[in-house]
């Protein structure tokens, strides 16, 4: 139990998926201009990443390793994620329309979010057990949400500031992200 | 015909250079550009995938039903990424280890899928090949220049190929390690975007 807690902390803070591993940066910059969209994206990622983490772990052990076709990992993982996203979208639309309205537009974007695919690959590379993979998927997703929401909060303020013309928009966004990443490097000594 | 080929090829090198103008493909750009060498390797792998996925998507553009086109594109891209993985494991194993999971993650690189969707799905094979090659080389240029800047400031060396530095700043130079660490990636790219905004308009 203690080990799992350490794993979760290290995935959320120390190896933060956005700021230390650089995965999922396109939606990070794309959806962080408003707090509302940032929260929506964070929720959608948590939801899909946990499911994708579980399913790809099972696929890897019982399909790829069992049949000795591990070279198909890239193809099969991306197919699993793409179809999972599609399935989740259809399911939510039918049964939980409220949640669908909230996550709606962010779901299709997740297919090409490299954080999802990246965490699935990390789970396999680090040879996590099923429980560990589940915890790491959830913790990475929470770390993604945390960084995204923090960043959106800062960015809403930056809009009000007078930024030099050449630095505007993405450029100042990246530098702001760099400052937040600098803050996150402080967590490194924790575990 | 020849003129439009040249036009499609060169737009990726400057006017629509993927990383700096379109701001696509950020993840590998930030993660692997600790050295110039990594940037070049990643860029070349992406170029290969871009070129061949563009060609194949363009060849099949009349066969693929438009409703499932994204899924088809992803399968095509994933196939070429698998080929790249094999080739790199065989010939440039050290670089393959350094780039790690970012090689399989070319599948979800928005530059590749973006070109398939925005260009190759609508244009002829020759034009798509020119577009893919141009975009790929542009991406490589962007990655290697970012890598060169970060490596020069952050480590005081410049490595182009093979692991040994081509050039080292004199002994008096104290490396500014911030640039090769995670935050330096964001700040470095932000500064380069700023520079691109100063040099030329969109």
């Amino acid at each position: 139990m203690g080990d799992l807690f350490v794993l979760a902390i290290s995935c959320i803070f120390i190896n933060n998926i956005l700021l230390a591993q650089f995965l999922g940066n396109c939606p990070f910059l794309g959806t962080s201009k408003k707090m509302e969209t940032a929260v929506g994206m964070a929720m959608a990622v948590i939801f899909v990443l946990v499911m994708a983490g579980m399913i790809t772990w099972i696929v890897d052990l019982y399909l790829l390793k069992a049949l000795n076709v591990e070279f198909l990992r890239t193809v099969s993982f991306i197919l699993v994620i793409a179809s999972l996203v599609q399935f989740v979208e259809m399911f939510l639309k039918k049964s939980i329309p409220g949640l669908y309205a909230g996550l709606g537009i962010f779901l299709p974007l997740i297919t090409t979010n490299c954080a999802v695919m990246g965490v699935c690959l990390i789970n396999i590379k680090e040879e996590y057990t099923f429980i560990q993979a589940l915890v790491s998927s959830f913790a990475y997703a929470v770390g993604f949400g945390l960084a995204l929401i923090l960043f959106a909060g800062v960015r809403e303020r930056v809009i009000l500031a007078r930024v030099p013309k050449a630095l505007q928009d993405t450029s100042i966004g990246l530098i702001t992200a760099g400052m937040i990443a600098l803050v996150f490097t402080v967590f490194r000594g924790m575990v | 015909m020849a003129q439009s080929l040249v036009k499609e090829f060169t737009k990726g090198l400057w006017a629509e250079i993927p990383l700096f103008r379109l701001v696509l493909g950020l993840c590998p750009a930030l993660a692997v550009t600790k050295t110039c060498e990594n940037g070049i390797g990643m860029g070349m792998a992406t170029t290969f995938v871009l070129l061949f996925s563009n060609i194949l998507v363009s060849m099949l553009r009349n066969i693929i039903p438009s409703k499932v086109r994204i899924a088809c594109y992803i399968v095509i891209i994933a196939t070429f990424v698998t080929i790249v993985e094999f080739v790199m494991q065989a010939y440039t194993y050290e670089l393959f280890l350094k780039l790690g999971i970012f090689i399989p993650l070319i599948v979800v690189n928005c530059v590749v899928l973006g070109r398939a969707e925005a260009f190759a799905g609508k244009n002829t094979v020759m034009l798509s090949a020119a577009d893919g090659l141009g975009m790929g080389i542009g991406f490589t240029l962007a990655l290697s220049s970012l890598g060169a800047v970060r490596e020069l400031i952050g480590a005081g060396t410049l490595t182009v190929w093979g692991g040994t530095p081509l050039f080292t700043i004199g002994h008096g130079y104290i490396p500014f390690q911030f640039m090769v660490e995670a935050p330096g990636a964001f700040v470095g790219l932000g500064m380069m975007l700023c520079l691109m905004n100063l040099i030329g308009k969109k």
Side-chain angles (χ1 to χ4, degrees):
Chain A
M1 198 62 209
D3 289 350
L4 289 179
F5 183 70
V6 171
L7 178 70
I9 293 293
S10 79
C11 291
I12 295 176
F13 294 108
I14 300 156
N15 294 322
N16 186 285
I17 190 92
L18 278 169
L19 301 169
Q21 312 241 25
F22 304 112
L23 294 169
N25 272 296
C26 299
F28 182 52
L29 286 165
T31 63
S32 60
K33 280 185 188 160
K34 278 191 191 147
M35 188 54 97
E36 233 172 276
T37 51
V39 173
M41 188 71 197
M43 292 304 156
V45 165
I46 293 175
F47 195 69
V48 171
L49 189 47
V50 171
M51 291 182 75
M54 288 194 293
I55 296 174
T56 50
W57 192 91
I58 294 168
V59 165
D60 193 72
L61 185 66
Y62 292 105
L63 214 64
L64 299 181
K65 280 187 185 138
L67 298 175
N68 218 357
V69 285
E70 280 137 327
F71 63 90
L72 287 176
R73 191 172 284 147
T74 313
V75 185
S76 55
F77 277 20
I78 190 69
L79 280 179
V80 165
I81 292 167
S83 44
L84 176 74
V85 169
Q86 197 91 74
F87 179 75
V88 167
E89 204 180 341
M90 288 188 318
F91 173 78
L92 288 182
K93 208 173 182 176
K94 270 261 172 9
S95 31
I96 321 173
L99 191 60
Y100 177 75
L103 303 183
I105 47 165
F106 300 108
L107 280 173
L109 287 175
I110 286 183
T111 315
T112 52
N113 182 342
C114 47
V116 177
M117 177 93 171
V119 170
C120 296
L121 289 169
I122 290 172
N123 284 344
I124 304 303
K125 206 178 137 208
E126 298 287 327
E127 297 178 347
Y128 286 150
T129 63
F130 184 71
I131 300 295
Q132 281 174 324
L134 185 63
V135 171
S136 95
S137 307
F138 180 69
Y140 272 127
V142 169
F144 180 91
L146 179 73
L148 182 60
I149 289 168
L150 279 178
F151 183 52
V154 177
R155 227 177 162 187
E156 277 188 339
R157 299 292 176 97
V158 171
I159 290 173
L160 300 175
R162 279 176 58 198
V163 177
K165 209 174 173 205
L167 274 169
Q168 266 166 16
D169 209 28
T170 325
S171 187
I172 192 74
L174 279 164
I175 294 171
T176 316
M179 294 301 122
I180 297 177
L182 192 61
V183 175
F184 268 71
T185 54
V186 177
F187 291 119
R188 243 182 242 168
M190 233 164 51
V191 174
Chain B
M1 185 66 191
Q3 213 174 11
S4 58
L5 269 181
V6 173
K7 201 186 108 218
E8 296 305 342
F9 176 71
T10 50
K11 77 165 189 272
L13 301 182
W14 183 253
E16 290 182 29
I17 185 165
L19 189 59
F20 296 145
R21 297 281 190 218
L22 307 176
V23 202
L24 289 174
L26 284 173
C27 308
L30 292 165
V32 305
T33 53
K34 270 186 188 169
T35 64
C36 185
E37 183 194 8
N38 287 2
I40 294 173
M42 186 72 206
M44 278 165 58
T46 314
T47 305
F48 174 85
V49 176
L50 251 172
L51 175 62
F52 286 98
S53 70
N54 255 12
I55 291 175
L56 200 63
V57 164
S58 169
M59 278 161 83
L60 298 173
R61 71 183 185 280
N62 295 325
I63 305 167
I64 296 174
S66 66
K67 271 187 183 167
V68 291
R69 67 180 189 285
I70 300 288
C72 297
Y73 295 166
I74 288 180
V75 175
I76 291 171
I77 295 166
T79 314
F80 286 112
V81 171
T82 312
I83 295 172
V84 167
E85 275 181 80
F86 278 137
V87 172
M88 288 191 76
Q89 270 179 34
Y91 294 104
T92 55
Y93 190 62
E94 274 176 26
L95 191 64
F96 175 80
L97 288 183
K98 269 190 212 155
L99 298 178
I101 61 168
F102 285 92
I103 295 294
L105 284 178
I106 296 175
V107 177
V108 283
N109 187 329
C110 0
V111 177
V112 184
L113 190 64
R115 289 333 285 173
E117 166 73 8
F119 197 90
K122 295 170 195 143
N123 288 288
T124 59
V125 177
M126 287 306 282
L127 282 179
S128 302
D131 175 79
L133 196 62
M135 284 287 166
I137 292 174
F139 192 61
T140 313
L141 281 176
L143 285 190
S144 50
S145 56
L146 181 60
V149 168
R150 284 184 66 193
E151 197 192 341
L152 269 175
I153 302 176
T157 56
L158 187 67
T159 319
V160 176
W161 195 254
T164 43
L166 183 77
F167 170 76
T168 313
I169 303 181
H171 292 294
Y173 181 72
I174 300 166
F176 182 41
Q177 273 191 351
F178 173 78
M179 285 305 282
V180 284
E181 304 256 343
F186 286 107
V187 175
L189 184 58
M191 287 310 210
M192 290 198 78
L193 280 179
C194 166
L195 199 66
M196 286 298 278
N197 286 342
L198 281 177
I199 300 172
K201 294 187 186 88
K202 273 181 191 175

